[in-house]
Amino acid sequence: MHLEDLRGLLALGEHRHVTAAAAALDVSQPTLSRLLARVETELGARLFERDARGVHPNPLGDVTLAAAAELIERYDRLRRDLAGLLDPDAGTVRLAFLDSMATSLVPRILRDVRERFPRLRIELRQEPGHEMMPHLDSGVAELALNWGPQHEPYGWVPLQTQALALIVAPGHRLAGRGRARLADVAGEDFVTVPPGYGFRRLIDDLFAAAGVTPRVTLEIGDLATVESLVGAGLGVALVPERIAGASGTVGLPLAAPGGERVVGLTWRADRRLTPAADRFRSFVAEAAPYD
């Protein structure tokens, strides 16, 4: 069995019709039919059921298609990684980043990188910090944009300092204030991210230091959604100042020690980065800060 046989199976699984799958692969229908018969003979199992509507994977076919997709993905990644070793400017960088950076820091960095290295390929993963670090450990991501600083075995380059703001809905009793203290929201409905998120840990530490226990009524793992819920009048929240106002909320500078987060680029310092990822890291570090 060859890789092209696996690609043929995947096309059949996607299109569910020999004619459509053959057209997508730019091969003849008899060629694809023979491919399927050959693979089923080699594996010793019927993988697809044929009827008037086309071909449909049976349970054995579903297992085979999942394995075929994994093998093809691993092979394609190997080709990209080898290409990156041979030509770092045209390699692939696997970058993870926090949801809250999706509309601000990440586009700025990618624009600058694209201008300097137009042939560089970036695979992006948008995810919360508690999912990001295991992916960095496993190698699913090579670099990550998150908040820190980070400690061994991680490298860390700070890129941007983000002040925090208290956001309230227009017309809220605090909306006209010039600044806000954490004590001002004692007893208010508070919207934030769930426990386990790095940003929640920062928020909890700030409230603990101020001796205030927030009344958390809504939790959602996306700061942009947190901001929109506050804009709808469902409570108050602490968010990076750059997010305030997106849904009409009023942002008040926070009068609290440590009322900021530093975001930066991190990686596993105990492993060698691919040349493409190392190019990306060095360029972004030289371009910092992104204030």
Side-chain angles (χ1 to χ4, degrees):
M1 190 185 304
H2 301 284
L3 284 171
E4 292 311 309
D5 296 334
L6 299 180
R7 296 189 194 277
L9 291 181
L10 292 177
L12 285 169
E14 177 183 357
H15 295 281
R16 306 298 177 99
H17 199 283
V18 175
T19 301
L25 294 170
D26 195 24
V27 300
S28 69
Q29 181 176 336
T31 296
L32 187 56
S33 295
R34 288 194 297 271
L35 180 153
L36 177 57
R38 184 174 67 252
V39 170
E40 288 182 327
T41 298
E42 180 173 340
L43 295 179
R46 187 179 180 89
L47 305 178
F48 287 80
E49 303 302 328
R50 290 78 161 169
D51 59 30
R53 294 179 294 117
V55 294
H56 312 278
N58 59 28
L60 295 177
D62 289 334
V63 172
T64 304
L65 289 175
E70 181 181 352
L71 290 169
I72 291 295
E73 193 280 332
R74 290 178 62 183
Y75 175 75
D76 289 345
R77 183 177 297 280
L78 171 63
R79 291 290 302 270
R80 293 194 298 269
D81 289 346
L82 290 176
L85 292 172
L86 296 171
D87 184 1
D89 290 348
T92 299
V93 179
R94 299 188 289 273
L95 175 69
F97 61 92
L98 293 172
D99 298 328
S100 57
M101 301 179 190
T103 60
S104 55
L105 182 59
V106 171
R108 290 180 59 190
I109 290 176
L110 295 182
R111 180 196 61 205
D112 293 346
V113 170
R114 176 60 60 85
E115 289 179 355
R116 178 63 180 83
F117 304 107
R119 295 185 296 129
L120 203 62
R121 184 175 184 272
I122 313 295
E123 290 184 3
L124 299 174
R125 301 183 64 91
Q126 182 176 331
E127 52 195 10
H130 67 279
E131 295 179 5
M132 179 185 304
M133 300 311 285
H135 287 160
L136 204 62
D137 294 340
S138 68
V140 171
E142 299 167 285
L143 302 170
L145 288 165
N146 61 356
W147 71 285
Q150 302 296 322
H151 306 289
E152 292 185 357
Y154 303 101
W156 167 255
V157 174
L159 301 179
Q160 186 180 77
T161 299
Q162 300 178 343
L164 301 186
L166 175 73
I167 55 172
V168 299
H172 189 276
R173 63 181 180 84
L174 298 175
R177 295 276 190 92
R179 298 178 68 80
R181 299 172 302 133
L182 294 177
D184 294 332
V185 298
E188 294 271 357
D189 290 345
F190 193 77
V191 185
T192 188
V193 297
Y197 282 64
F199 191 74
R200 175 63 178 268
R201 189 165 64 251
L202 173 61
I203 297 302
D204 288 346
D205 289 347
L206 286 173
F207 274 110
V212 178
T213 301
R215 187 173 71 195
V216 177
T217 56
L218 287 171
E219 297 175 334
I220 183 70
D222 176 60
L223 287 175
T225 305
V226 167
E227 194 273 341
S228 66
L229 292 174
V230 172
L234 296 174
V236 302
L238 289 177
V239 298
E241 197 171 50
R242 299 166 187 268
I243 296 177
S247 298
T249 55
V250 177
L252 309 174
L254 183 63
E260 63 183 25
R261 72 171 183 176
V262 179
V263 299
L265 189 67
T266 189
W267 62 95
R268 284 293 298 256
D270 57 343
R271 301 174 186 167
R272 184 187 297 274
L273 288 173
T274 64
D278 194 50
R279 289 276 177 92
F280 185 101
R281 178 190 60 177
S282 298
F283 177 79
V284 171
E286 292 173 3
Y290 283 83
D291 294 328

